[in-house]
Amino acid sequence: MKPSNPPLKENQLARLILTAATLIALVTMVVTLSVKGTRNEISLGPGDSSITVDKTQVNAIRDIGQWEFLTISDEELVDSTESRLIGSDKKITRIYYGTLRLGIDMAQLRDDALRMRADTLDVTLPPVTLLDDDFIDEARTKPFYENGSWDQKAREALYEQAKRKMKQRCLTEDNINIAQLNATEEVAQVFHSMGYQYVDVHF
C-alpha cells in the first residue's frame, strides 16, 4: 500500500476552474451589488455581514467534478481451493494490483457550500469517498499458482475477493483523514490566493 499525492496537472486544472468561478463571483459582487434579479447576482443585505453566493457560482464549482486528494497503490494475493473426490485438491492463486483514488465529487456540493461569516469564508465540502470502484488493473493481474481447471465464475469470485481486501486495507480512517487534510489545505490555498484571509473548510 503506497499512498501518494494526486497528479499535479489534475489539481492545477481543478484549481484553475475553481479560481475562475470564484473570481467571477467577486467581480459580480463589486460591479452589480446594487443590481437585483440577475442570475449572477451576489447580494449584500443592509447591515448583513454575510455574502450569499448564488447557485450559478456553486454550479461552476460543481463542474470541477471529481477532485482527487490521495492515491493509494495496493497489491493483494488471493487464492481459492476446491476439494475433489479423486486426485489432489484444486487450487488457484493470483496477484491483483489496484490504484484507489480518494477524493471529493464536487458535483455533490450543496447550494449553501460557500458562505461568509463575518471575516471568515465557510466552505462546506462533500465527504471524501472512493472516486472509482473499478480500481483493479486487470491487465497487471498475475497468476501465481494454478492447479486444475477453473471457470470464469471462479475467477470472478477471486476478483471480488481481491477488491474487498483492497478496500479493507486502503479505505481506513487514517487514509480518509489524510485525504481530508489534503483537501482542506488545497481548497483553503485557492481561496487564500484570492484574498480571503480566513477560510474555514469542513465536511
Side-chain angles (χ1 to χ4, degrees), residues 12 21 37 54 58 98 100 104-105 124 130 133 135-136 141 148 150 154 157 161 163 167-169 188 194 198:
Q12 287 177 332
D54 82 352
V58 175
L100 291 78
I104 294 174
D105 184 1
T124 303
L130 178 65
D133 196 55
F135 51 80
I136 290 183
T141 299
W150 296 85
Q161 181 182 347
K163 180 181 284 189
K167 285 183 176 180
Q168 183 177 5
R169 182 189 294 269
M194 293 185 296
Y198 305 106

Side-chain angles (χ1 to χ4, degrees), residues 15 20 62 73 77 110 119 127-128 138 166 177 183 192:
R15 193 176 299 172
R62 287 178 179 141
S73 298
L77 185 148
R110 295 184 342 200
D119 58 352
V128 168
E138 296 188 68
M166 288 185 183
N177 287 339
H192 285 317

